[in-house]
Amino acid sequence: MNEQIEQMKQEIILKMNNVKSSKELNDLRVEYLGKKGPIAELSAMMKTIPVAEKKQFGAALNSLKTEINTLFEQKRQEINLDELNEQLAAEKIDITLDSTMIPVGGKHPIQMVIDDVCDLFVSMGYDVVEGPEVEQDLYNFEKLNLPKGHPARDTQDSFYITEEMLLRTQTSPVQARTMEANQEKSPIRMICPGKTYRRDNDDATHSHQFTQIEGLVVDKNISMADLKGTLEILAKTMFGEDRVIRFRPSYFPFTEPSLEVDVSCFRCGGEGCSLCKQTGWIEILGSGMVHPNVLRNCGYDPEVYTGFAFGMGPERIAMLKYGINDIRHFYTNDMRFINDFNRKEGGNA
Ligand code: DAH
């Protein structure tokens, strides 16, 4: 009997040496240790064995089982390790290979200016508001102190849809809308970016569709000093800490006084260069104190409230800041311009 057991052990060891995969090992285990396998058969023979031999046979059988289980376990660990090594070798990643470039796009330069300006004003407590691009003559002109027939309307050649509706020529109507919508007639601090339209022949500096950012503050005791301080922060944020601004008298129907704002040239520092046309100054926006008629037209008492407003063109700011020499680049989606711009500005296109 014991010989039989020893023989079986040798047989299993022999077969186990030829096993190459965990599947083969499993099959071998089922073959020998399964319910119908030879070891189960040997166990079944216990019943027929004479009592005198029973003890010794049982012990031999048990040690066979333990040994075989240990062998299987060892072999399993060996195979697992081999298989893991094989898998690691097969799935090895060559990190020195060139990767595939995935274009992810970048922000449009005008959007970059809008975001920078809005972030600044939001940090100063302004609300960002929007208004309709198809606007009523009432808000685009009349409430802004530009009644029908006013000569200043000629400076904003408009796309009329009906006699009373047009594509807004400026973002200033949002001033009127914001003041009018404010039921409590409480203080206002708002900034409004958006698209605007004028009948212009497109060339390097003109576009029939362009962008503006409007700002409006209405409160008690707002003075030109508030306007100047605010625009100085804007100029420094957009063009550098060392910038200063200056006011030049101007005319807009909705402000009195009206002011054109220049920033000291960020290329030459004010010495004079080709960018600032040797003047040391660059014009960046229009502004002024809100005209009493505008306040009145929108339900604010000009005896109690004053305000300032300003309007600027992100195209102009972006052209200055990023050295873009043709406004049409913003709209024609020439991939050479877009890719080049994103590369320079750190995008990934
Ligand atoms: N809306 C003016 C324009 O399109 C720009 C402007 C000037 C806006 C003065 C203002 C302002 O709010 O106060 O030319």
Side-chain angles (χ1 to χ4, degrees), residues 210-244:
F210 54 106
T211 321
Q212 285 192 342
I213 305 177
E214 195 80 15
L216 172 73
V217 170
V218 178
D219 205 342
K220 290 171 186 159
N221 301 319
I222 294 291
S223 74
M224 264 174 68
D226 299 309
L227 173 61
K228 187 163 187 212
T230 305
L231 295 182
E232 213 155 55
I233 293 172
L234 173 66
K236 286 179 192 294
T237 306
M238 297 308 286
F239 294 108
E241 254 319 290
D242 297 335
R243 302 284 78 77
V244 289

PDB file of all heavy atoms in Angstrom, residues 210-244:
ATOM      1  N   PHE A 210     -17.809  94.162 -33.443  1.00  0.00           N
ATOM      2  CA  PHE A 210     -16.654  94.251 -32.555  1.00  0.00           C
ATOM      3  C   PHE A 210     -17.153  94.053 -31.127  1.00  0.00           C
ATOM      4  O   PHE A 210     -18.290  93.612 -30.921  1.00  0.00           O
ATOM      5  CB  PHE A 210     -15.920  95.588 -32.747  1.00  0.00           C
ATOM      6  CG  PHE A 210     -16.802  96.806 -32.609  1.00  0.00           C
ATOM      7  CD1 PHE A 210     -16.723  97.614 -31.476  1.00  0.00           C
ATOM      8  CD2 PHE A 210     -17.724  97.149 -33.602  1.00  0.00           C
ATOM      9  CE1 PHE A 210     -17.537  98.730 -31.336  1.00  0.00           C
ATOM     10  CE2 PHE A 210     -18.547  98.266 -33.467  1.00  0.00           C
ATOM     11  CZ  PHE A 210     -18.455  99.051 -32.329  1.00  0.00           C
ATOM     12  N   THR A 211     -16.314  94.360 -30.163  1.00  0.00           N
ATOM     13  CA  THR A 211     -16.671  94.061 -28.775  1.00  0.00           C
ATOM     14  C   THR A 211     -16.449  95.292 -27.912  1.00  0.00           C
ATOM     15  O   THR A 211     -15.570  96.103 -28.207  1.00  0.00           O
ATOM     16  CB  THR A 211     -15.770  92.914 -28.245  1.00  0.00           C
ATOM     17  OG1 THR A 211     -15.592  91.963 -29.272  1.00  0.00           O
ATOM     18  CG2 THR A 211     -16.373  92.238 -27.053  1.00  0.00           C
ATOM     19  N   GLN A 212     -17.262  95.451 -26.899  1.00  0.00           N
ATOM     20  CA  GLN A 212     -17.035  96.537 -25.951  1.00  0.00           C
ATOM     21  C   GLN A 212     -17.173  96.014 -24.522  1.00  0.00           C
ATOM     22  O   GLN A 212     -17.815  94.996 -24.273  1.00  0.00           O
ATOM     23  CB  GLN A 212     -18.047  97.673 -26.152  1.00  0.00           C
ATOM     24  CG  GLN A 212     -17.765  98.544 -27.378  1.00  0.00           C
ATOM     25  CD  GLN A 212     -18.583  99.820 -27.392  1.00  0.00           C
ATOM     26  OE1 GLN A 212     -19.601  99.949 -26.694  1.00  0.00           O
ATOM     27  NE2 GLN A 212     -18.162 100.781 -28.204  1.00  0.00           N
ATOM     28  N   ILE A 213     -16.550  96.745 -23.606  1.00  0.00           N
ATOM     29  CA  ILE A 213     -16.803  96.489 -22.185  1.00  0.00           C
ATOM     30  C   ILE A 213     -17.230  97.815 -21.575  1.00  0.00           C
ATOM     31  O   ILE A 213     -16.547  98.824 -21.705  1.00  0.00           O
ATOM     32  CB  ILE A 213     -15.554  95.979 -21.443  1.00  0.00           C
ATOM     33  CG1 ILE A 213     -14.988  94.724 -22.124  1.00  0.00           C
ATOM     34  CG2 ILE A 213     -15.905  95.663 -19.986  1.00  0.00           C
ATOM     35  CD1 ILE A 213     -13.701  94.209 -21.490  1.00  0.00           C
ATOM     36  N   GLU A 214     -18.400  97.797 -20.956  1.00  0.00           N
ATOM     37  CA  GLU A 214     -18.975  98.994 -20.356  1.00  0.00           C
ATOM     38  C   GLU A 214     -18.831  98.920 -18.844  1.00  0.00           C
ATOM     39  O   GLU A 214     -18.921  97.831 -18.272  1.00  0.00           O
ATOM     40  CB  GLU A 214     -20.481  99.001 -20.701  1.00  0.00           C
ATOM     41  CG  GLU A 214     -21.166 100.305 -20.486  1.00  0.00           C
ATOM     42  CD  GLU A 214     -20.894 101.257 -21.647  1.00  0.00           C
ATOM     43  OE1 GLU A 214     -20.425 100.817 -22.707  1.00  0.00           O
ATOM     44  OE2 GLU A 214     -21.165 102.465 -21.470  1.00  0.00           O
ATOM     45  N   GLY A 215     -18.619 100.044 -18.222  1.00  0.00           N
ATOM     46  CA  GLY A 215     -18.603 100.057 -16.755  1.00  0.00           C
ATOM     47  C   GLY A 215     -19.494 101.178 -16.256  1.00  0.00           C
ATOM     48  O   GLY A 215     -19.604 102.229 -16.901  1.00  0.00           O
ATOM     49  N   LEU A 216     -20.159 100.962 -15.129  1.00  0.00           N
ATOM     50  CA  LEU A 216     -21.029 102.005 -14.572  1.00  0.00           C
ATOM     51  C   LEU A 216     -21.043 101.927 -13.051  1.00  0.00           C
ATOM     52  O   LEU A 216     -21.178 100.853 -12.472  1.00  0.00           O
ATOM     53  CB  LEU A 216     -22.463 101.811 -15.096  1.00  0.00           C
ATOM     54  CG  LEU A 216     -23.535 102.710 -14.455  1.00  0.00           C
ATOM     55  CD1 LEU A 216     -23.396 104.163 -14.941  1.00  0.00           C
ATOM     56  CD2 LEU A 216     -24.943 102.193 -14.773  1.00  0.00           C
ATOM     57  N   VAL A 217     -20.871 103.103 -12.448  1.00  0.00           N
ATOM     58  CA  VAL A 217     -21.015 103.195 -10.996  1.00  0.00           C
ATOM     59  C   VAL A 217     -21.982 104.338 -10.698  1.00  0.00           C
ATOM     60  O   VAL A 217     -21.831 105.438 -11.244  1.00  0.00           O
ATOM     61  CB  VAL A 217     -19.657 103.477 -10.301  1.00  0.00           C
ATOM     62  CG1 VAL A 217     -19.851 103.822  -8.828  1.00  0.00           C
ATOM     63  CG2 VAL A 217     -18.727 102.284 -10.439  1.00  0.00           C
ATOM     64  N   VAL A 218     -23.002 104.068  -9.907  1.00  0.00           N
ATOM     65  CA  VAL A 218     -23.936 105.116  -9.488  1.00  0.00           C
ATOM     66  C   VAL A 218     -24.080 105.036  -7.973  1.00  0.00           C
ATOM     67  O   VAL A 218     -24.311 103.956  -7.426  1.00  0.00           O
ATOM     68  CB  VAL A 218     -25.332 104.941 -10.138  1.00  0.00           C
ATOM     69  CG1 VAL A 218     -26.299 106.020  -9.647  1.00  0.00           C
ATOM     70  CG2 VAL A 218     -25.248 104.962 -11.653  1.00  0.00           C
ATOM     71  N   ASP A 219     -23.892 106.164  -7.313  1.00  0.00           N
ATOM     72  CA  ASP A 219     -24.026 106.180  -5.858  1.00  0.00           C
ATOM     73  C   ASP A 219     -24.101 107.642  -5.416  1.00  0.00           C
ATOM     74  O   ASP A 219     -23.953 108.555  -6.232  1.00  0.00           O
ATOM     75  CB  ASP A 219     -22.822 105.471  -5.207  1.00  0.00           C
ATOM     76  CG  ASP A 219     -23.157 104.918  -3.818  1.00  0.00           C
ATOM     77  OD1 ASP A 219     -24.159 105.349  -3.228  1.00  0.00           O
ATOM     78  OD2 ASP A 219     -22.403 104.060  -3.346  1.00  0.00           O
ATOM     79  N   LYS A 220     -24.276 107.841  -4.112  1.00  0.00           N
ATOM     80  CA  LYS A 220     -24.190 109.213  -3.617  1.00  0.00           C
ATOM     81  C   LYS A 220     -22.716 109.601  -3.541  1.00  0.00           C
ATOM     82  O   LYS A 220     -21.861 108.766  -3.219  1.00  0.00           O
ATOM     83  CB  LYS A 220     -24.836 109.305  -2.235  1.00  0.00           C
ATOM     84  CG  LYS A 220     -26.351 109.138  -2.340  1.00  0.00           C
ATOM     85  CD  LYS A 220     -27.016 109.011  -0.994  1.00  0.00           C
ATOM     86  CE  LYS A 220     -28.496 108.708  -1.231  1.00  0.00           C
ATOM     87  NZ  LYS A 220     -29.138 108.100  -0.082  1.00  0.00           N
ATOM     88  N   ASN A 221     -22.418 110.856  -3.858  1.00  0.00           N
ATOM     89  CA  ASN A 221     -21.048 111.387  -3.718  1.00  0.00           C
ATOM     90  C   ASN A 221     -19.990 110.726  -4.589  1.00  0.00           C
ATOM     91  O   ASN A 221     -18.829 110.643  -4.206  1.00  0.00           O
ATOM     92  CB  ASN A 221     -20.572 111.290  -2.251  1.00  0.00           C
ATOM     93  CG  ASN A 221     -21.487 112.051  -1.317  1.00  0.00           C
ATOM     94  OD1 ASN A 221     -21.933 113.155  -1.662  1.00  0.00           O
ATOM     95  ND2 ASN A 221     -21.809 111.464  -0.181  1.00  0.00           N
ATOM     96  N   ILE A 222     -20.381 110.206  -5.738  1.00  0.00           N
ATOM     97  CA  ILE A 222     -19.351 109.682  -6.659  1.00  0.00           C
ATOM     98  C   ILE A 222     -18.756 110.873  -7.423  1.00  0.00           C
ATOM     99  O   ILE A 222     -19.486 111.713  -7.945  1.00  0.00           O
ATOM    100  CB  ILE A 222     -19.970 108.682  -7.657  1.00  0.00           C
ATOM    101  CG1 ILE A 222     -20.459 107.426  -6.925  1.00  0.00           C
ATOM    102  CG2 ILE A 222     -18.984 108.319  -8.760  1.00  0.00           C
ATOM    103  CD1 ILE A 222     -19.364 106.544  -6.369  1.00  0.00           C
ATOM    104  N   SER A 223     -17.435 110.933  -7.445  1.00  0.00           N
ATOM    105  CA  SER A 223     -16.785 112.073  -8.096  1.00  0.00           C
ATOM    106  C   SER A 223     -15.799 111.599  -9.163  1.00  0.00           C
ATOM    107  O   SER A 223     -15.548 110.396  -9.307  1.00  0.00           O
ATOM    108  CB  SER A 223     -16.029 112.905  -7.061  1.00  0.00           C
ATOM    109  OG  SER A 223     -14.863 112.206  -6.672  1.00  0.00           O
ATOM    110  N   MET A 224     -15.194 112.566  -9.843  1.00  0.00           N
ATOM    111  CA  MET A 224     -14.210 112.222 -10.862  1.00  0.00           C
ATOM    112  C   MET A 224     -12.969 111.581 -10.257  1.00  0.00           C
ATOM    113  O   MET A 224     -12.236 110.873 -10.944  1.00  0.00           O
ATOM    114  CB  MET A 224     -13.829 113.461 -11.675  1.00  0.00           C
ATOM    115  CG  MET A 224     -14.639 113.533 -12.946  1.00  0.00           C
ATOM    116  SD  MET A 224     -14.393 115.010 -13.877  1.00  0.00           S
ATOM    117  CE  MET A 224     -12.747 114.852 -14.447  1.00  0.00           C
ATOM    118  N   ALA A 225     -12.731 111.854  -8.979  1.00  0.00           N
ATOM    119  CA  ALA A 225     -11.588 111.213  -8.307  1.00  0.00           C
ATOM    120  C   ALA A 225     -11.802 109.693  -8.258  1.00  0.00           C
ATOM    121  O   ALA A 225     -10.867 108.917  -8.448  1.00  0.00           O
ATOM    122  CB  ALA A 225     -11.424 111.766  -6.894  1.00  0.00           C
ATOM    123  N   ASP A 226     -13.074 109.268  -8.035  1.00  0.00           N
ATOM    124  CA  ASP A 226     -13.378 107.829  -8.033  1.00  0.00           C
ATOM    125  C   ASP A 226     -13.111 107.236  -9.411  1.00  0.00           C
ATOM    126  O   ASP A 226     -12.558 106.148  -9.548  1.00  0.00           O
ATOM    127  CB  ASP A 226     -14.842 107.591  -7.642  1.00  0.00           C
ATOM    128  CG  ASP A 226     -15.150 108.109  -6.245  1.00  0.00           C
ATOM    129  OD1 ASP A 226     -14.402 107.747  -5.319  1.00  0.00           O
ATOM    130  OD2 ASP A 226     -16.117 108.887  -6.085  1.00  0.00           O
ATOM    131  N   LEU A 227     -13.537 107.984 -10.432  1.00  0.00           N
ATOM    132  CA  LEU A 227     -13.334 107.519 -11.811  1.00  0.00           C
ATOM    133  C   LEU A 227     -11.843 107.365 -12.091  1.00  0.00           C
ATOM    134  O   LEU A 227     -11.392 106.345 -12.609  1.00  0.00           O
ATOM    135  CB  LEU A 227     -13.961 108.530 -12.789  1.00  0.00           C
ATOM    136  CG  LEU A 227     -13.699 108.282 -14.270  1.00  0.00           C
ATOM    137  CD1 LEU A 227     -14.252 106.944 -14.732  1.00  0.00           C
ATOM    138  CD2 LEU A 227     -14.305 109.407 -15.123  1.00  0.00           C
ATOM    139  N   LYS A 228     -11.082 108.384 -11.715  1.00  0.00           N
ATOM    140  CA  LYS A 228      -9.647 108.365 -12.023  1.00  0.00           C
ATOM    141  C   LYS A 228      -8.942 107.214 -11.287  1.00  0.00           C
ATOM    142  O   LYS A 228      -8.151 106.485 -11.887  1.00  0.00           O
ATOM    143  CB  LYS A 228      -9.006 109.706 -11.653  1.00  0.00           C
ATOM    144  CG  LYS A 228      -7.575 109.764 -12.122  1.00  0.00           C
ATOM    145  CD  LYS A 228      -7.004 111.154 -12.160  1.00  0.00           C
ATOM    146  CE  LYS A 228      -5.620 111.088 -12.824  1.00  0.00           C
ATOM    147  NZ  LYS A 228      -4.697 112.065 -12.318  1.00  0.00           N
ATOM    148  N   GLY A 229      -9.258 107.066 -10.015  1.00  0.00           N
ATOM    149  CA  GLY A 229      -8.630 105.979  -9.241  1.00  0.00           C
ATOM    150  C   GLY A 229      -8.953 104.618  -9.826  1.00  0.00           C
ATOM    151  O   GLY A 229      -8.079 103.754  -9.955  1.00  0.00           O
ATOM    152  N   THR A 230     -10.219 104.447 -10.215  1.00  0.00           N
ATOM    153  CA  THR A 230     -10.649 103.157 -10.764  1.00  0.00           C
ATOM    154  C   THR A 230      -9.926 102.846 -12.081  1.00  0.00           C
ATOM    155  O   THR A 230      -9.420 101.741 -12.286  1.00  0.00           O
ATOM    156  CB  THR A 230     -12.177 103.176 -11.009  1.00  0.00           C
ATOM    157  OG1 THR A 230     -12.815 103.544  -9.782  1.00  0.00           O
ATOM    158  CG2 THR A 230     -12.690 101.832 -11.466  1.00  0.00           C
ATOM    159  N   LEU A 231      -9.869 103.859 -12.954  1.00  0.00           N
ATOM    160  CA  LEU A 231      -9.258 103.606 -14.265  1.00  0.00           C
ATOM    161  C   LEU A 231      -7.737 103.448 -14.162  1.00  0.00           C
ATOM    162  O   LEU A 231      -7.117 102.782 -14.993  1.00  0.00           O
ATOM    163  CB  LEU A 231      -9.629 104.730 -15.244  1.00  0.00           C
ATOM    164  CG  LEU A 231     -11.129 104.782 -15.572  1.00  0.00           C
ATOM    165  CD1 LEU A 231     -11.414 105.885 -16.593  1.00  0.00           C
ATOM    166  CD2 LEU A 231     -11.649 103.433 -16.095  1.00  0.00           C
ATOM    167  N   GLU A 232      -7.163 104.065 -13.134  1.00  0.00           N
ATOM    168  CA  GLU A 232      -5.723 103.894 -12.919  1.00  0.00           C
ATOM    169  C   GLU A 232      -5.426 102.429 -12.563  1.00  0.00           C
ATOM    170  O   GLU A 232      -4.483 101.836 -13.081  1.00  0.00           O
ATOM    171  CB  GLU A 232      -5.265 104.800 -11.778  1.00  0.00           C
ATOM    172  CG  GLU A 232      -3.859 105.319 -11.952  1.00  0.00           C
ATOM    173  CD  GLU A 232      -3.683 106.619 -11.189  1.00  0.00           C
ATOM    174  OE1 GLU A 232      -3.950 106.627  -9.963  1.00  0.00           O
ATOM    175  OE2 GLU A 232      -3.312 107.625 -11.819  1.00  0.00           O
ATOM    176  N   ILE A 233      -6.273 101.852 -11.704  1.00  0.00           N
ATOM    177  CA  ILE A 233      -6.089 100.437 -11.345  1.00  0.00           C
ATOM    178  C   ILE A 233      -6.251  99.559 -12.594  1.00  0.00           C
ATOM    179  O   ILE A 233      -5.490  98.627 -12.830  1.00  0.00           O
ATOM    180  CB  ILE A 233      -7.116 100.009 -10.260  1.00  0.00           C
ATOM    181  CG1 ILE A 233      -6.820 100.743  -8.955  1.00  0.00           C
ATOM    182  CG2 ILE A 233      -7.078  98.495 -10.040  1.00  0.00           C
ATOM    183  CD1 ILE A 233      -7.878 100.556  -7.890  1.00  0.00           C
ATOM    184  N   LEU A 234      -7.244  99.919 -13.427  1.00  0.00           N
ATOM    185  CA  LEU A 234      -7.464  99.164 -14.664  1.00  0.00           C
ATOM    186  C   LEU A 234      -6.213  99.222 -15.557  1.00  0.00           C
ATOM    187  O   LEU A 234      -5.741  98.192 -16.051  1.00  0.00           O
ATOM    188  CB  LEU A 234      -8.675  99.744 -15.414  1.00  0.00           C
ATOM    189  CG  LEU A 234      -8.944  99.170 -16.798  1.00  0.00           C
ATOM    190  CD1 LEU A 234      -9.345  97.702 -16.719  1.00  0.00           C
ATOM    191  CD2 LEU A 234     -10.034  99.975 -17.521  1.00  0.00           C
ATOM    192  N   ALA A 235      -5.674 100.425 -15.741  1.00  0.00           N
ATOM    193  CA  ALA A 235      -4.509 100.598 -16.621  1.00  0.00           C
ATOM    194  C   ALA A 235      -3.306  99.821 -16.091  1.00  0.00           C
ATOM    195  O   ALA A 235      -2.587  99.167 -16.850  1.00  0.00           O
ATOM    196  CB  ALA A 235      -4.163 102.082 -16.744  1.00  0.00           C
ATOM    197  N   LYS A 236      -3.111  99.851 -14.795  1.00  0.00           N
ATOM    198  CA  LYS A 236      -1.960  99.138 -14.207  1.00  0.00           C
ATOM    199  C   LYS A 236      -2.137  97.626 -14.344  1.00  0.00           C
ATOM    200  O   LYS A 236      -1.185  96.899 -14.621  1.00  0.00           O
ATOM    201  CB  LYS A 236      -1.802  99.514 -12.726  1.00  0.00           C
ATOM    202  CG  LYS A 236      -1.220 100.926 -12.519  1.00  0.00           C
ATOM    203  CD  LYS A 236      -1.129 101.236 -11.025  1.00  0.00           C
ATOM    204  CE  LYS A 236      -0.848 102.690 -10.737  1.00  0.00           C
ATOM    205  NZ  LYS A 236       0.468 103.153 -11.188  1.00  0.00           N
ATOM    206  N   THR A 237      -3.368  97.168 -14.141  1.00  0.00           N
ATOM    207  CA  THR A 237      -3.619  95.726 -14.247  1.00  0.00           C
ATOM    208  C   THR A 237      -3.405  95.236 -15.677  1.00  0.00           C
ATOM    209  O   THR A 237      -2.838  94.173 -15.906  1.00  0.00           O
ATOM    210  CB  THR A 237      -5.072  95.397 -13.811  1.00  0.00           C
ATOM    211  OG1 THR A 237      -5.273  95.942 -12.518  1.00  0.00           O
ATOM    212  CG2 THR A 237      -5.336  93.906 -13.788  1.00  0.00           C
ATOM    213  N   MET A 238      -3.860  96.027 -16.636  1.00  0.00           N
ATOM    214  CA  MET A 238      -3.789  95.567 -18.022  1.00  0.00           C
ATOM    215  C   MET A 238      -2.414  95.800 -18.642  1.00  0.00           C
ATOM    216  O   MET A 238      -1.976  95.044 -19.501  1.00  0.00           O
ATOM    217  CB  MET A 238      -4.855  96.271 -18.882  1.00  0.00           C
ATOM    218  CG  MET A 238      -6.286  95.991 -18.470  1.00  0.00           C
ATOM    219  SD  MET A 238      -6.669  94.238 -18.330  1.00  0.00           S
ATOM    220  CE  MET A 238      -6.756  93.761 -20.042  1.00  0.00           C
ATOM    221  N   PHE A 239      -1.751  96.891 -18.244  1.00  0.00           N
ATOM    222  CA  PHE A 239      -0.517  97.255 -18.962  1.00  0.00           C
ATOM    223  C   PHE A 239       0.731  97.344 -18.087  1.00  0.00           C
ATOM    224  O   PHE A 239       1.794  97.702 -18.567  1.00  0.00           O
ATOM    225  CB  PHE A 239      -0.729  98.590 -19.696  1.00  0.00           C
ATOM    226  CG  PHE A 239      -1.751  98.495 -20.786  1.00  0.00           C
ATOM    227  CD1 PHE A 239      -3.010  99.075 -20.655  1.00  0.00           C
ATOM    228  CD2 PHE A 239      -1.466  97.804 -21.959  1.00  0.00           C
ATOM    229  CE1 PHE A 239      -3.953  98.971 -21.664  1.00  0.00           C
ATOM    230  CE2 PHE A 239      -2.402  97.694 -22.970  1.00  0.00           C
ATOM    231  CZ  PHE A 239      -3.653  98.278 -22.827  1.00  0.00           C
ATOM    232  N   GLY A 240       0.613  97.097 -16.775  1.00  0.00           N
ATOM    233  CA  GLY A 240       1.810  97.079 -15.925  1.00  0.00           C
ATOM    234  C   GLY A 240       1.756  98.100 -14.798  1.00  0.00           C
ATOM    235  O   GLY A 240       1.216  99.202 -14.966  1.00  0.00           O
ATOM    236  N   GLU A 241       2.369  97.722 -13.689  1.00  0.00           N
ATOM    237  CA  GLU A 241       2.343  98.513 -12.445  1.00  0.00           C
ATOM    238  C   GLU A 241       2.812  99.964 -12.608  1.00  0.00           C
ATOM    239  O   GLU A 241       2.349 100.858 -11.913  1.00  0.00           O
ATOM    240  CB  GLU A 241       3.248  97.833 -11.405  1.00  0.00           C
ATOM    241  CG  GLU A 241       2.526  97.115 -10.286  1.00  0.00           C
ATOM    242  CD  GLU A 241       1.307  97.846  -9.736  1.00  0.00           C
ATOM    243  OE1 GLU A 241       1.510  98.877  -9.081  1.00  0.00           O
ATOM    244  OE2 GLU A 241       0.162  97.398  -9.962  1.00  0.00           O
ATOM    245  N   ASP A 242       3.746 100.181 -13.550  1.00  0.00           N
ATOM    246  CA  ASP A 242       4.349 101.518 -13.657  1.00  0.00           C
ATOM    247  C   ASP A 242       3.507 102.494 -14.468  1.00  0.00           C
ATOM    248  O   ASP A 242       3.893 103.651 -14.646  1.00  0.00           O
ATOM    249  CB  ASP A 242       5.736 101.417 -14.309  1.00  0.00           C
ATOM    250  CG  ASP A 242       6.673 100.603 -13.449  1.00  0.00           C
ATOM    251  OD1 ASP A 242       6.446 100.538 -12.224  1.00  0.00           O
ATOM    252  OD2 ASP A 242       7.618 100.005 -14.007  1.00  0.00           O
ATOM    253  N   ARG A 243       2.377 102.036 -14.982  1.00  0.00           N
ATOM    254  CA  ARG A 243       1.588 102.914 -15.847  1.00  0.00           C
ATOM    255  C   ARG A 243       0.885 104.029 -15.074  1.00  0.00           C
ATOM    256  O   ARG A 243       0.491 103.848 -13.925  1.00  0.00           O
ATOM    257  CB  ARG A 243       0.512 102.114 -16.616  1.00  0.00           C
ATOM    258  CG  ARG A 243       1.038 100.988 -17.476  1.00  0.00           C
ATOM    259  CD  ARG A 243       1.668 101.491 -18.761  1.00  0.00           C
ATOM    260  NE  ARG A 243       2.998 102.018 -18.565  1.00  0.00           N
ATOM    261  CZ  ARG A 243       4.097 101.260 -18.401  1.00  0.00           C
ATOM    262  NH1 ARG A 243       4.005  99.967 -18.381  1.00  0.00           N
ATOM    263  NH2 ARG A 243       5.285 101.814 -18.246  1.00  0.00           N
ATOM    264  N   VAL A 244       0.765 105.182 -15.737  1.00  0.00           N
ATOM    265  CA  VAL A 244      -0.088 106.253 -15.209  1.00  0.00           C
ATOM    266  C   VAL A 244      -1.097 106.604 -16.294  1.00  0.00           C
ATOM    267  O   VAL A 244      -0.921 106.224 -17.458  1.00  0.00           O
ATOM    268  CB  VAL A 244       0.733 107.514 -14.813  1.00  0.00           C
ATOM    269  CG1 VAL A 244       1.555 107.232 -13.572  1.00  0.00           C
ATOM    270  CG2 VAL A 244       1.612 107.986 -15.954  1.00  0.00           C
TER     271      VAL A 244
END
